[in-house]
Amino acid sequence: MDAPWVKHYQPGVPAQIELPTESLVALVERSVAEAGSAVALEFFGATTTYTQLGDQIARAAEGLRRLGVQAGDRVAIVLPNCPQHIVAFYAVLRLGAVVVEHNPLYTERELRHMFEDHAARVAICWDVAVPKLRALPDDIALEQIVAVNMLTEFPLVKRLALQLPLTRTKALRNKLTAPAPDTMTWARLLGDGPLAPTHPRPGVGDLAVIGYTSGTTGAPKGAMLSHYNLYANARQGEAWMHGARTRKEVFYVVLPLFHAFGMTLFLTYGILKQARLVLFPAFDVDLVLDAAKKHPPTVYCAVPPIYERTATRAAERGISLRTAKFCISGAMNLPDSVVELWESTAGGLLVEGYGTTEASPVCLGNPFAASRRTGTIGVPFPSTLMKVVDPDDPTREVAQGERGELLIKGPQVFSGYWNNPDETAKTLLPGGWLRTGDLVTVDADGFTTIVDRVKELIIAGGFNVSPSEVENVLRGHPDIADAAVVGVPAPTGGERVVAVVLLRPGAELDAPAVRDWCRERLAAYKVPREIVALNELPRSMLGKILRRQVREHYLEGHPG
């Protein structure tokens, strides 16, 4: 019997998907064969067809094979959104190797733990980020860096314009590319011809991606996602966006491909739909709207601040967004004001969804129908089950409507954490149930509302921020004796990172200097937006800082 929430699905959305029996390599090869001369990628106006994409994947795979990459090897990708990112992703998978995605804006300190953990010997890296990989300790397994210059994928006229001897163009050029001596160039990697078509392909159950996600202890954990997990989630997305047309949709890739949300929406689902993927290295509202004048988006998935800025600027510039019919917001709560603003401009509903890296990542969403309920994260996707349990005893389900921890089960749920059986056992329960760490309430129809988190991660700008990681950096500052880092509501949805610190005797708080200290050691979204000094931090009897009380104390002194 169908779950109660299925009757609220958009008409045409099935209760169950057809489960995959082949790998993501088969997915991309089918799209290349069927779409052929259709545009797959657009980057600042330059286009790549599906046939060209397939050829580049085969050439990159051969280049990696010549570097010694074999099935099961991990290959690090450290790239912003660019055509080379998509080619690299599928080239690694073609060999049966494992993609490990990294934020190219991470510091050397942040990258170090991940490289120690996954032990990739080869990294495909944005040339601007190469010095951070060079700074990794000698005992890291990394042997070969393939440097990617994004400018090579720009249209010729834009490349020539960036060579002009002007201060502004020089600054932009230096921001987009940098010399990377003693590395292999991307062009050289692709220079030895295509991989032999007979080279063995991975199986549907093989490991495809390791995605790092922060934990309550602050140490990133590598979620192991198989071809089956990721392909299943792409098919779930295809079912949910009922009415999206093959080879007719235009996806705007404004979310980072290294993030689980962007990876599934664009790298797998977008390629599955044989769509035109319009790539942006970073979100720039005017670049987005400039592109919209020529090939306006039909699929525009983002986070609330991006929706708000896009709609506001489009109205200012008089640019229509009526083509945008499939819009899913995730990673942070979606305010009603943003929904109203976006839907006054766009041609379809803006609905909120929910995911976690361990679930590939999407597992719940609001229907693209009148049955959607703003303020909730929706209902489970097709072929997905949920239950709500006592977080202190996950074997006991709570009564309907009672607050409890959300558990998820489905084909998109991961198999565990890389090299971390203890954390796997805590997170993945018998029967395949995933502990999400989120406290929710669920109504009689299955619509789910997040009310709190068991784990104390902060959701800032759509990214997980571990309070422990930021606290450890703050404690290294010479003026700070101790620190507590919490998330407080941001006006545009999500949270702001706030640090409450205990100063050393005689020290005075210089907040800008402390933020500069953090910027040198943390990605920008982890840097505290506000730093407050207290004479004492609330602690438990064992001396552990009570972050919940810190947060409550801060909000009492800063209402609204």
Side-chain angles (χ1 to χ4, degrees):
M1 185 174 70
D2 287 339
W5 53 78
V6 172
K7 64 177 179 290
H8 298 287
Y9 282 5
Q10 176 189 359
V13 175
Q16 305 289 329
I17 62 162
E18 182 180 347
L19 297 174
T21 58
E22 56 191 9
S23 74
L24 293 175
V25 171
L27 179 157
V28 71
E29 289 182 341
R30 180 176 298 106
S31 290
V32 166
E34 293 177 356
S37 61
V39 172
L41 314 176
E42 180 180 327
F43 191 59
F44 290 92
T47 58
T48 303
T49 67
Y50 272 89
T51 296
Q52 291 168 334
L53 176 62
D55 178 67
Q56 290 179 32
I57 291 169
R59 289 174 178 275
E62 172 63 10
L64 291 171
R65 186 192 70 80
R66 288 174 180 249
L67 289 178
V69 175
Q70 301 178 25
D73 289 350
R74 280 76 61 207
V75 177
I77 297 180
V78 192
L79 293 173
N81 293 355
C82 57
Q84 297 98 322
H85 196 143
I86 294 175
V87 174
F89 181 87
Y90 280 106
V92 173
L93 297 185
R94 175 64 183 86
L95 296 174
V98 180
V99 169
V100 191
E101 289 280 5
H102 301 80
N103 183 340
L105 300 181
Y106 273 163
T107 65
E108 179 272 330
R109 178 182 177 276
E110 292 167 306
L111 290 168
R112 176 174 179 169
H113 167 79
M114 299 177 195
F115 273 80
E116 287 175 337
D117 189 48
H118 60 64
R121 294 184 300 104
V122 176
I124 302 171
C125 183
W126 183 28
D127 52 17
V128 172
V130 165
K132 289 183 278 194
L133 297 192
R134 289 286 189 215
L136 293 172
D138 292 338
D139 59 356
I140 297 289
L142 184 62
E143 299 171 1
Q144 180 70 62
I145 300 173
V146 179
V148 172
N149 180 346
M150 284 198 299
L151 296 188
T152 61
E153 294 296 321
F154 276 44
L156 177 60
V157 66
K158 284 188 169 61
R159 293 204 306 271
L160 292 175
L162 284 168
Q163 296 304 316
L164 293 174
L166 301 173
T167 301
R168 186 168 64 87
T169 55
K170 183 179 179 181
L172 179 58
R173 186 169 67 248
N174 292 341
K175 184 178 179 180
L176 294 174
T177 187
D182 302 320
T183 60
M184 173 180 281
T185 66
W186 178 254
R188 178 66 190 87
L189 183 75
L190 272 63
D192 290 318
L195 183 74
T198 55
H199 189 88
R201 290 165 169 78
V204 66
D206 289 347
L207 181 61
V209 171
I210 297 175
Y212 279 87
T213 179
S214 296
T216 56
T217 63
K221 304 187 295 291
M224 297 188 292
L225 302 172
S226 67
H227 288 262
Y228 177 78
N229 295 147
L230 293 166
Y231 203 152
N233 208 218
R235 285 189 171 172
Q236 289 168 318
E238 181 182 37
W240 204 248
M241 290 191 187
H242 181 69
R245 304 155 298 167
T246 299
R247 288 193 295 283
K248 298 292 185 183
E249 305 302 339
V250 180
F251 287 56
Y252 269 29
V253 186
V254 295
L255 295 170
L257 295 172
F258 58 76
H259 190 279
F261 191 10
M263 179 178 63
T264 286
L265 281 168
F266 309 123
L267 281 168
T268 57
Y269 171 54
I271 296 295
L272 174 66
K273 293 303 292 183
Q274 301 170 21
R276 176 190 288 253
L277 304 182
V278 182
L279 295 149
F280 302 90
F283 174 69
D284 181 303
V285 67
D286 284 311
L287 283 179
V288 167
L289 294 174
D290 288 345
K293 290 189 289 186
K294 185 176 182 181
H295 293 291
T298 63
V299 178
Y300 195 72
C301 296
V303 293
I306 288 180
Y307 283 115
E308 184 173 37
R309 291 174 61 189
T310 305
T312 300
R313 186 67 175 140
E316 293 171 353
R317 293 183 55 180
I319 295 175
S320 173
L321 295 171
R322 289 294 171 190
T323 57
K325 296 181 179 178
F326 298 99
C327 305
I328 299 177
S329 178
M332 63 180 74
N333 63 294
L334 177 64
D336 289 344
S337 59
V338 174
V339 174
E340 294 168 6
L341 174 64
W342 180 259
E343 292 183 357
S344 70
T345 304
L349 299 178
L350 171 56
V351 301
E352 186 170 0
Y354 169 84
T356 178
T357 302
E358 291 88 345
S360 303
V362 189
C363 33
L364 285 86
N366 267 282
F368 285 104
S371 57
R372 63 93 182 258
R373 297 181 188 175
T374 58
T376 77
I377 56 173
V379 296
F381 262 29
S383 296
T384 304
L385 298 175
M386 72 173 178
K387 61 182 177 180
V388 183
V389 302
D390 180 346
D392 296 321
D393 179 9
T395 64
R396 184 184 74 82
E397 289 191 56
V398 302
Q400 188 268 309
E402 184 180 336
R403 174 185 300 210
E405 183 179 357
L406 176 65
L407 269 57
I408 296 293
K409 182 178 181 178
Q412 71 272 51
V413 171
F414 81 146
S415 59
Y417 295 112
W418 179 259
N419 288 337
N420 203 331
D422 292 341
E423 287 296 325
T424 297
K426 294 176 186 176
T427 306
L428 203 56
L429 301 181
W433 287 97
L434 170 67
R435 296 191 69 168
T436 66
D438 286 303
L439 294 176
V440 303
T441 58
V442 180
D443 68 19
D445 294 321
F447 283 86
T448 303
T449 302
I450 294 180
V451 294
D452 209 339
R453 284 195 295 278
V454 176
K455 52 191 178 183
E456 295 178 305
L457 292 179
I458 301 166
I459 311 298
F463 294 97
N464 289 351
V465 178
S466 163
S468 297
E469 182 182 18
V470 183
E471 287 164 359
N472 288 338
V473 168
L474 287 166
R475 290 184 190 115
H477 190 280
D479 293 338
I480 295 175
D482 211 343
V485 172
V486 298
V488 301
T492 56
E495 297 173 305
R496 290 187 301 120
V497 180
V498 171
V500 180
V501 300
L502 183 66
L503 297 172
R504 296 189 184 278
E508 293 183 1
L509 177 62
D510 183 348
V514 174
R515 279 195 290 272
D516 287 342
W517 170 274
C518 292
R519 286 191 191 98
E520 293 175 3
R521 294 161 175 81
L522 296 167
Y525 65 86
K526 299 178 184 178
V527 175
R529 295 296 179 264
E530 186 173 356
I531 301 172
V532 179
L534 290 181
N535 294 325
E536 187 178 0
L537 295 174
R539 300 177 185 272
S540 69
M541 293 179 64
L542 297 177
K544 182 179 180 181
I545 294 175
L546 301 173
R547 291 198 191 105
R548 189 179 299 275
Q549 290 187 23
V550 171
R551 183 176 186 273
E552 291 171 355
H553 179 81
Y554 173 87
L555 291 174
E556 287 173 3
H558 302 77

